[in-house]
Amino acid sequence: MRKQLSWKVGGQQGEGIDSAGEILATALNRKGYYLYGYRHFSSRIKGGHSNTKIRISNSPIRSISDELDILVAFDQESIDLNAHELIEGGVILADAKFNPTVPDGVSARLLAVPLTRIAEEVGMAQMKNMVAVGASIALLGLSVDAFQEVIEERFARKGQKVVDKNMEAIARGLEFVKTEIGEIEDFRLEPSDGKKRLYMIGNDAVALGALAAGARLMAAYPITPSSEIMEYLIKKLPEFGGTVVQTEDEIAAITMVIGANYGGVRALTASAGPGLSLMTEAIGLAGMTETPAVIVNTQRGGPSTGLPTKQEQSDLLAMLYSTHGEIPKIVIAPSTAEECFYDTIEAFNLAEEYQCPVIIMTDLALALGKQTVEPLEYDRIRIRRGKLVSWDEELPELGDSELFPRYGFTEDGVSRRVLPGMKNGLHHVTGVEHDQTGRPSESPVNRKRMMDKRLNKLASADIGFPTPVFLDAPHDDADVLIIGFCSTAGTITEAKQRLEQEGLKVNHAHIRQLLPFPTDIVAEQIKRANKVLVVENNATGQLTNLIRMHTQMGDKLVHFGKYDGNPFLPSEIYNQCKELLVHGHI
Amino acid sequence: MATFKDFRNKVKPNWCPGCGDFSVLAAMQRAFANVGLEPHEVAIVSGIGCSGRISGYVNAYGFHGVHGRALPIAQGLKLANRELTVVAAGGDGDGFAIGMAHTIHAIRRNVDITYIVMDNQVYGLTKGQTSPRSEMGFKTKSTPHGSIESAIHPMEMALTVGAGFVAQTVSSDLKQLTRVIEEGIKHKGFSLINVYSPCVTYNKINTYDWFKERLVNLDEMEGYDPSNRQMAMQKLMEHHGLVTGIIYQNKESKSYEDMIKGFREEPLAKRDLMLTRDQFENLVSEFA
C-alpha cells in the first residue's frame, strides 16, 4: 500500500487529457486525498504534446514530484517524452492501438490496454480517456463508485445516456486491468482521512478572494496564465450585480480599474508580464492620484512573449520598479492557493487603506497548478476601507469655489477619500503634481511635501500584511537557510524535509511581502544560518539581488536559478543544498 | 437648482487668448445647468494636452489622467456609479492618435458617457506638431515638408463602428455647442461630439474664418434626418466632413449598462461588499 504516488496522462492537446486528470482528481479529492496537479501544455489550441501530472497523497503536499509511478499514454510521443520520469517498477498504461514500446534504458512495465477499442465498444472513441481513468483506478485499488457523482455532475447537461456511457467506459477499463492483467499491489493507496477539502488552481482562489473582498468590477485582457481569473468572475459577478469588461488592451484594463476605484467600487485587473509592461504608466497614475488599484500578475516565461505557457519568476523587478518616477506601491506574493484567497482579500484592504496600487504576484505554477485547499473560512474575511468617507456622512459645506482637501497632509500621509457623487466633496484628481485639493502646483515646497506624504505612507515595512515572511526556521544556527517566493514553497518544504532526515539543520524563509521589503525579518534569518540558498525561477537572481540590496549581507547568499520553463523539483533543491554544504558553492 | 455659474471655479485657464477651448468650457457649464445637474453629480475625465486641463476648470468632480486614456477611466467610473453624469474630454491627439483604439472600443461598448473632442488639428502643448486630424500637406515642426499622411475623419469613423450619437460643432457657435452637449448627456449610451476648436497659435490654416466659410449646418438643412445613418454618411462625404449639428442619433440604442446581465440600477459603489455566509458557502462548494 502506498502513502503517495504520481500519475500522469499524456497525449495530443485536445484528446481529453485535462478532463481525465480532472475527473480522477475530483473523485480522489472527495475521498479525502491530498492532490497537486500540474499541466504541461503548449501555446497552441489543438495538437502538440500535453500532459497533466497529478500527485496523490494521504498527507499534505504542495509540490510536483520528482518521480512518476503511473504514466498513461495516448501516443508513443507521450511515452518517449515522459517515461524517463518513471520509478523503477513504474507502469506505462498505454493504448494498445499504437503498438506502444518502452524506450531503451527505461525499466517500466508496459500495460497495453485497448483504450480506444473499448471506448468504441462502449460507443465513442473519444471516451478512451475514461477507459484510461478506469484502468488507472484498478491500479490504485479504488472502485468505480467514487466516480458516479463526479461523472453525473460533469455530464448531467448532456443527458443520462452520456453519464451512463462514461461510467461504463470507466468500469470497462477497470475490469480489463483486473481480469487481463491482475492486481498490481504496489500502487494501491492507503486509505485517506476522508475529510472534505477543496481542490482549485491559484487563479480560482484569487478570483474567489476578489469576490469575497467585495470586488464587483474586473477589467482585463485575456492572457495566459491569468485568464481563468476573468473567466471565473464573468460567470459569477452577475449574481452579485457586478461585471467583467473584456477590454481592448491592458492599458484600457488598468485605467478602467483606476476609474472604477476612483468611483468607489473595488475593482481589479489581472495579467501576465507583457500586460504588466503595458500597464506601467497607469500604475504610476494610480500612485500619483492615490487611487486604490489591485493588479494580479501571474508571471510566466519572459522576456517579450517568451514562454507563454511555462513557469518563470522573472517579473519581480518589473513589479517593484517599472513605473517612472517614485510612487508608493505594495507587492505581495502568495505561495499557495489558500494564500491566494486570503491575500487577495488583504490586497483590496491594503489598496484602500494606503490608497495606492497593490500588485498580487503569482506565477504560472501557482496560477494553474491545482492543489488541495483546506476549507476556506468565512469568518476570516475582513473588509477594511481605510479613510474612505461613507455615503451617509454629511460633509461640511464648501465655501465659494473651495475644494475638499482630498490630498490633505496628515500624520500618516493618508488623506480622507471622498467619492465623486458625494455632496461637498468636490476636488480635482490629476497625475500632475498637485496641492491638497488636487489642483496643479509646481511649488517646490508643495512638491517636496507631497512626495514625502505619498512615499511616507509605506515608509515602514510593517503595513499590517499578516505574514510578510513565512518562516519554518526552527534552528538558531542552521546549516542552510533556503529562501524563496511564490509557488516554490511546497517544493522547498519537501527538500527541507529530506535534508532534515539526514540530520542537517535547515531553515526556510518564504518572502510574501516584496514591497515594502521586510528587511529586519529576512536579515535576522540570514544571520542565523551558515549558508543561504535563494531559489528562484529566473536567470539573473532578481530576488537574491533584492535581498542583497536591502540586507547588505550579500556575501552569504547563493543564487539558485532555473529558467528552462519548468518548476523546481524537490530533488533539485535538495541536491543544490548538499552541494553548497559540501563544496561551499553550487 | 444650480445655474451655469455654479459650475465655474476660480482657476484661470492656461489657454492662449482666443483659444477655442474657452467656448467648450462655457458650453459645458451651461449644458450641465440646463439639464438640471448639480456640481457634485458631474465628473469630467480628461486626457493630456491643452484640452486635458478642462477637468480642472469646471466646478465639478474632475479627473485629469494620462495621455489618451480618458475614455477607459471614464467608463470605469460610470460603471462604478451609474448615477453620475460622466463626461470625457480631450484633444484630437488624445482621442484619435494615442487613444484611437479606446475611442473605437468605447463606441462599440456604448457605456453611457459623453465624449467631447476639442479638435484643433494640431498638437498645441508640445508646441506645434502634426496631429492625426491635420490635412495632407499641413506644415508643422514635425512635418516641415507638409504632412504626407491622410487625416482621420472621426465622424465617418464613428458611424462605421456603430456609434449611437455622433455630433460635430464649432467653438464659435456657443448656442449649437451647448445644445449638442445637452443632447449628448441626455442620450442613453456613448455620445461622440467633435468640436472644431481652433488653435490660434499653431494652426494658421484652420482658423475661425476658415470654418465659417466651409461648415454646413445640418440643423438648418431642410429634410435632414439624423436617424438616417446612410444620409448621415452621405452628407459627411459630400461636404468632406465639414458639417455641424447632430449628424446621427439612434434613439433606440441600449447602453452597455442596460445590457449587462445582472447589472442593477443601484450604483456598484453604494452596495455592500460583504458576501453572506450562504453566498460564500455556495461559491466554495463548487470546488469540493
Side-chain angles (χ1 to χ4, degrees):
Chain A
M1 299 271 264
R2 298 282 297 268
K3 284 191 195 307
Q4 62 157 286
L5 58 78
S6 271
W7 176 92
K8 184 187 260 192
V9 56
Q12 295 290 302
Q13 219 145 278
E15 276 192 300
I17 292 149
D18 281 355
S19 49
E22 277 291 310
I23 284 166
L24 179 70
T26 307
L28 287 163
N29 174 58
R30 292 192 186 171
K31 284 261 160 206
Y33 289 99
Y34 288 87
L35 300 152
Y36 187 94
Y38 186 73
R39 284 170 63 209
H40 173 102
F41 61 112
S42 309
S43 189
R44 55 193 279 184
I45 311 283
K46 269 200 171 175
H49 174 72
S50 92
N51 66 59
T52 291
K53 190 174 180 182
I54 294 167
R55 196 171 178 199
I56 309 152
S57 171
N58 60 6
S59 60
I61 36 156
R62 290 211 167 93
S63 159
I64 56 168
S65 58
D66 293 310
E67 295 158 335
L68 183 63
D69 299 281
I70 301 167
L71 172 64
V72 176
F74 291 153
D75 54 19
Q76 186 62 39
E77 192 187 4
S78 296
I79 299 178
D80 296 341
L81 289 173
N82 298 288
H84 66 277
E85 286 182 21
L86 283 161
I87 56 160
E88 203 153 319
V91 161
I92 299 171
L93 205 158
D95 195 347
K97 190 184 170 188
F98 62 88
N99 296 320
T101 55
V102 181
D104 290 345
V106 173
S107 66
R109 178 170 168 189
L110 177 69
L111 306 181
V113 180
L115 302 174
T116 305
R117 200 197 74 210
I118 295 174
E120 279 167 352
E121 284 168 16
V122 176
M124 253 189 304
Q126 74 221 56
M127 289 194 307
K128 69 179 174 191
N129 62 343
M130 291 300 111
V131 182
V133 167
S136 301
I137 63 168
L139 302 178
L140 305 180
L142 295 172
S143 74
V144 281
D145 309 343
F147 291 84
Q148 187 69 40
E149 198 182 70
V150 181
I151 296 291
E152 270 174 18
E153 283 168 23
R154 199 170 169 103
F155 296 108
R157 262 184 317 130
K158 297 185 176 172
Q160 191 58 39
K161 210 173 150 193
V162 178
V163 171
D164 294 344
K165 293 268 179 211
N166 276 279
M167 284 306 293
E168 193 186 336
I170 293 175
R172 290 281 301 274
L174 181 133
E175 190 186 291
F176 183 91
V177 172
K178 275 199 169 158
T179 56
E180 305 288 323
I181 298 170
E183 279 188 25
I184 301 174
E185 189 154 343
D186 279 349
F187 297 111
R188 283 189 307 164
L189 284 168
E190 274 190 6
S192 61
D193 64 8
K195 224 182 121 184
K196 293 249 173 287
R197 296 185 189 86
L198 309 169
Y199 184 51
M200 60 176 74
I201 60 173
N203 280 345
D204 291 333
V206 166
L208 195 56
L211 257 184
R216 296 294 176 261
L217 192 85
M218 178 179 191
Y221 188 81
I223 187 170
T224 305
S226 79
S227 296
E228 290 77 8
I229 299 172
M230 70 185 285
E231 285 162 11
Y232 177 83
L233 289 172
I234 286 165
K235 264 193 304 189
K236 292 294 166 194
L237 272 173
E239 288 172 37
F240 304 95
T243 194
V244 174
V245 183
Q246 182 181 322
T247 51
E248 52 274 23
D249 57 32
E250 287 87 348
I251 299 175
I254 178 69
T255 43
M256 204 173 279
V257 163
I258 291 170
N261 275 290
Y262 164 61
V265 66
R266 284 186 161 188
L268 79 156
T269 185
S271 192
L276 182 81
S277 294
L278 290 180
M279 291 180 192
T280 54
E281 185 197 19
I283 291 173
L285 176 70
M288 184 59 152
T289 59
E290 306 195 40
T291 310
V294 172
I295 302 133
V296 184
N297 180 29
T298 56
Q299 299 174 92
R300 62 183 214 184
S304 186
T305 321
L307 296 173
T309 62
K310 301 285 185 284
Q311 164 67 4
E312 205 163 273
Q313 301 176 318
S314 55
D315 299 346
L316 172 61
L317 297 183
M319 283 181 262
L320 299 180
Y321 301 122
S322 61
T323 203
H324 60 278
E326 296 159 310
I327 59 159
K329 192 202 288 173
I330 294 170
V331 179
I332 56 175
S335 60
T336 63
E338 192 173 326
E339 288 169 8
C340 282
F341 173 77
Y342 294 110
D343 288 2
T344 300
I345 298 172
E346 199 53 25
F348 282 96
N349 289 334
L350 294 172
E352 288 207 309
E353 283 180 322
Y354 293 95
Q355 300 176 7
C356 73
V358 177
I359 300 181
I360 302 170
M361 158 166 57
T362 75
D363 55 32
L364 183 134
L366 177 58
L368 299 183
K370 202 158 181 174
Q371 54 185 274
T372 295
V373 173
E374 294 296 337
L376 298 172
E377 293 169 48
Y378 180 76
D379 294 327
R380 276 180 64 186
I381 303 171
R382 296 274 178 281
I383 287 171
R384 309 185 306 269
R385 305 205 67 179
K387 293 188 187 174
L388 176 67
V389 172
S390 92
W391 288 100
D392 319 323
E393 188 174 336
E394 274 195 37
L395 295 164
E397 212 160 303
L398 299 170
D400 184 29
S401 280
E402 219 183 290
L403 295 177
F404 183 87
R406 167 68 186 92
Y407 302 104
F409 295 116
T410 59
E411 207 153 300
D412 59 7
V414 182
S415 319
R416 293 193 81 200
R417 179 170 154 237
V418 288
L419 300 174
M422 288 181 173
K423 216 175 167 195
N424 300 318
L426 290 190
H427 64 276
H428 191 232
V429 173
T430 175
V432 171
E433 189 56 272
H434 44 264
D435 65 16
Q436 298 186 71
T437 64
R439 289 219 166 108
S441 164
E442 292 184 347
S443 131
V445 175
N446 175 72
R447 161 68 176 179
K448 188 171 178 305
R449 270 191 93 182
M450 271 296 166
M451 282 295 284
D452 291 344
K453 162 195 155 56
R454 286 190 295 268
L455 297 173
N456 285 345
K457 290 196 284 190
L458 299 173
S460 152
D462 182 14
I463 56 168
F465 183 64
T467 316
V469 184
F470 162 82
L471 290 176
D472 177 14
H475 311 288
D476 285 334
D477 55 339
D479 297 317
V480 63
L481 162 70
I482 310 174
I483 300 180
F485 68 145
C486 288
S487 67
T488 52
T491 320
I492 294 174
T493 301
E494 204 157 322
K496 177 178 188 282
Q497 283 163 359
R498 287 191 211 173
L499 291 160
E500 298 222 291
Q501 275 164 15
E502 295 180 11
L504 290 163
K505 290 189 283 184
V506 184
N507 286 351
H508 175 198
H510 219 68
I511 304 180
R512 296 189 43 216
Q513 180 186 309
L514 278 303
L515 188 69
F517 193 77
T519 307
D520 292 349
I521 305 173
V522 176
E524 173 62 21
Q525 290 308 313
I526 295 174
K527 270 187 217 151
R528 287 169 50 186
N530 285 326
K531 304 272 181 199
V532 182
L533 187 72
V534 185
V535 173
E536 47 186 324
N537 276 122
N538 61 52
T540 58
Q542 298 187 22
L543 181 62
T544 312
N545 289 329
L546 184 72
I547 299 168
R548 281 198 180 117
M549 184 178 96
H550 283 287
T551 62
Q552 316 273 312
M553 295 163 80
D555 295 353
K556 262 191 186 174
L557 266 53
V558 174
H559 158 67
F560 177 34
K562 182 174 181 180
Y563 43 95
D564 65 357
N566 292 311
F568 285 100
L569 296 172
S571 61
E572 292 171 329
I573 297 171
Y574 166 88
N575 290 336
Q576 292 298 336
C577 283
K578 294 280 281 195
E579 193 80 2
L580 181 61
L581 292 171
V582 174
H583 300 294
H585 58 84
I586 63 171
Chain B
M1 258 219 350
T3 70
F4 72 92
K5 285 182 185 157
D6 294 310
F7 288 92
R8 279 189 191 158
N9 65 20
K10 286 177 180 160
V11 183
K12 194 171 168 282
N14 64 352
W15 295 323
C16 305
C19 176
D21 294 352
F22 283 103
S23 302
V24 179
L25 174 61
M28 259 191 198
Q29 290 161 332
R30 280 165 199 273
F32 294 147
N34 290 353
V35 295
L37 294 164
E38 296 291 329
H40 71 273
E41 296 170 334
V42 177
I44 298 158
V45 182
S46 63
I48 297 295
C50 301
S51 58
R53 297 283 179 142
I54 202 162
S55 59
Y57 302 151
V58 182
N59 191 46
Y61 281 93
F63 194 117
H64 179 213
V66 280
H67 198 29
R69 319 300 168 196
L71 283 176
I73 296 172
Q75 292 169 76
L77 173 57
K78 182 70 183 185
L79 292 174
N81 189 345
R82 297 180 72 171
E83 286 174 354
L84 284 173
T85 293
V86 179
V87 172
D92 44 324
D94 217 51
F96 305 135
I98 186 166
M100 184 51 144
H102 302 315
T103 302
I104 288 176
H105 293 282
I107 292 171
R108 288 180 55 231
R109 199 169 286 128
N110 206 27
V111 173
D112 185 14
I113 57 178
T114 302
Y115 184 31
I116 301 171
V117 181
M118 287 159 259
D119 178 1
N120 57 13
Q121 291 148 287
V122 74
Y123 280 38
L125 205 57
T126 49
K127 303 202 187 315
Q129 295 86 8
T130 187
S131 121
R133 286 284 296 121
S134 306
E135 291 296 343
M136 280 261 206
F138 192 67
K139 283 190 179 179
T140 66
K141 277 184 192 154
S142 62
T143 52
H145 312 296
S147 171
I148 52 169
E149 296 174 0
S150 65
I152 285 191
H153 293 273
M155 301 291 95
E156 289 91 322
M157 179 277 294
L159 284 177
T160 58
V161 294
F165 185 101
V166 183
Q168 184 163 262
T169 176
V170 59
S171 67
S172 52
D173 187 348
L174 187 63
K175 211 173 137 199
Q176 187 186 47
L177 183 52
T178 308
R179 191 181 73 86
V180 161
I181 296 174
E182 283 170 31
E183 293 305 319
I185 292 169
K186 286 192 248 168
H187 177 77
K188 295 285 167 224
F190 185 84
S191 328
L192 175 65
I193 301 171
N194 193 60
V195 185
Y196 287 117
S197 178
C199 174
V200 292
T201 307
Y202 292 107
N203 191 339
K204 305 293 185 198
I205 307 279
N206 310 105
T207 59
Y208 289 100
D209 286 344
W210 190 91
F211 285 112
K212 205 171 177 183
E213 281 166 29
R214 289 168 177 82
L215 287 175
V216 175
N217 190 344
L218 296 177
D219 289 350
E220 291 164 0
M221 189 181 284
E222 210 166 307
Y224 187 75
D225 174 11
S227 71
N228 186 334
R229 192 153 158 257
Q230 200 176 350
M231 190 186 275
M233 191 59 107
Q234 194 188 332
K235 290 294 163 206
L236 280 165
M237 292 174 83
E238 264 174 35
H239 301 284
H240 308 286
L242 291 164
V243 298
T244 62
I246 295 172
I247 298 168
Y248 176 70
Q249 184 173 16
N250 175 6
K251 290 190 171 165
E252 315 296 303
S253 103
K254 265 193 170 177
S255 74
Y256 187 79
E257 303 91 295
D258 283 335
M259 308 254 285
I260 304 171
K261 189 172 179 252
F263 210 65
R264 297 161 210 173
E265 285 297 330
E266 190 196 359
L268 286 182
K270 293 187 178 177
R271 305 187 58 199
D272 273 348
L273 302 191
M274 197 66 188
L275 300 174
T276 66
R277 190 179 290 271
D278 279 355
Q279 285 172 332
F280 181 71
E281 297 301 341
N282 273 335
L283 290 168
V284 166
S285 69
E286 290 177 21
F287 297 98

